Amino acid sequence: MSDGAVTSTDSAAARRDPGFCRFHTDHTAVVHWSSDHGWSDYSLEPYAPITMDPGTLVLHYGQSVFEGLKAFRQPDGSAALFRPADHAHRLARSARRLAMAEMPASLFLAACADLVRADDGWLPGEPGQGLYLRPLMIATESALGLRDSRRYRCTFLAYPADPCFGRAFAPISVLTSAGAVRAVRGGVGEAKCSGNYAASLLTRKQANARGYDEVLWLDGLEFRWVEELSGMNVFFVWRADDERHGVRLTTPPCQGTIMRGVTRDSVIALAGDLGIPVTEEPTPIDAVLSGARSGRLVEMFACGTAAVVVAVGRIADGDGDTVIGGGQEGAVTARVRHTLMEIQHGIRPDTHGWLRSVRKDRASVHSSTDRQ
Ligand code: COI
């Protein structure tokens, strides 16, 4: 995954070689919430740093949640957001878990559309490329007593983006999280909160230093059940017992410790469309490793908004490396990704109604004072 710092450049240069979110666009959409006024003061602004009091609650107690969604160029030259309402609902769920204000989906959708419209010139158009939107909501009240904030700010940022592991979609390698815990049931693992990512960084850095792209997180009690990667869900492609189907897909269930990925949900739906049986089922790491060795596990892939769908070619645990599917991308992984990308780019009919068009001619209108 690209680790380049974000800088500014002109939109044409960023579109030519965006990398993963290396360049910010010209604008941000900003909206505030206070216990007195609810959601108010919405504005589309030039991109700018924010200043804050060192006593601001987010800096101390970590009330910070975010989303990651993309807009894609369509064949008629317009832009469309992929499943923005699902991202809006997830942001609200994350906020609720951290005792933060829940943003109405209408406000979220309007802000995303305004930003994409304003920064349309930054949207790259090659397959797999998009404009990555990062709505970030933080506590902005200055107060050191331990309590939830009475003020929040949500800033919608935009970045031209290649998939985070690159457009070649070369298989990645993962190292299991022996001994390190990202989340446990009842905690905040399912919330898209900044602290979850902070909790993953040291283990991820150690995995990177050993030459692996990502951490494969196991459950925090038994270190037995596969959960997810640091920013992606995982799927397994098994040789089916039933000859008629050939293969079947599984993915770990959402039991409070993993991200309810929008891409994960899309993959489940697309597998159904493609006639591939798919189940959400607890998956022991031993079954994955022995399956890969015996050939019963034929493919594994990771998915997320940033990564799209990328094969996992190698897993390492305490006993060394295990190669999956010869270390190459398999046919199911490729088919699921192509299907998803064709829908995102408007090439294949959007039968699930996932795309939300952003029309350039529509005025930037939202002046919400939605209260909660
Ligand atoms: C995303 O896929 O949108 C994420 O938030 C993952 C992040 C680690 C880049």
Side-chain angles (χ1 to χ4, degrees), residues 122-140:
W122 292 81
L123 172 49
E126 295 297 319
Q129 294 183 327
L131 196 63
Y132 183 88
L133 303 192
R134 173 55 67 84
L136 168 71
M137 189 169 132
I138 57 171
T140 50

Side-chain angles (χ1 to χ4, degrees), residues 210-260:
R210 290 178 56 185
Y212 298 95
D213 296 298
E214 261 295 343
V215 178
L216 179 62
W217 292 95
L218 305 179
D219 76 281
L221 290 178
E222 298 177 71
F223 296 105
R224 174 169 178 225
W225 305 97
V226 174
E227 300 227 304
E228 62 178 346
L229 307 188
S230 302
M232 283 153 273
N233 295 113
V234 290
F235 280 82
F236 301 98
V237 184
W238 306 90
R239 205 177 290 290
D241 304 326
D242 161 8
E243 280 301 315
R244 199 160 55 89
H245 288 109
V247 292
R248 67 183 193 98
L249 266 179
T250 67
T251 191
C254 296
Q255 295 174 323
T257 53
I258 69 170
M259 191 62 43
R260 283 183 186 272

Side-chain angles (χ1 to χ4, degrees), residues 52-89:
M52 60 172 74
D53 187 292
T56 304
L57 279 168
V58 64
L59 301 175
H60 299 266
Y61 307 127
Q63 277 186 301
S64 170
V65 293
F66 63 89
E67 269 305 314
L69 69 159
K70 280 179 179 165
F72 295 94
R73 186 65 78 207
Q74 302 300 297
D76 67 357
S78 67
L81 287 156
F82 187 70
R83 303 190 69 173
D86 296 294
H87 288 277
H89 295 135

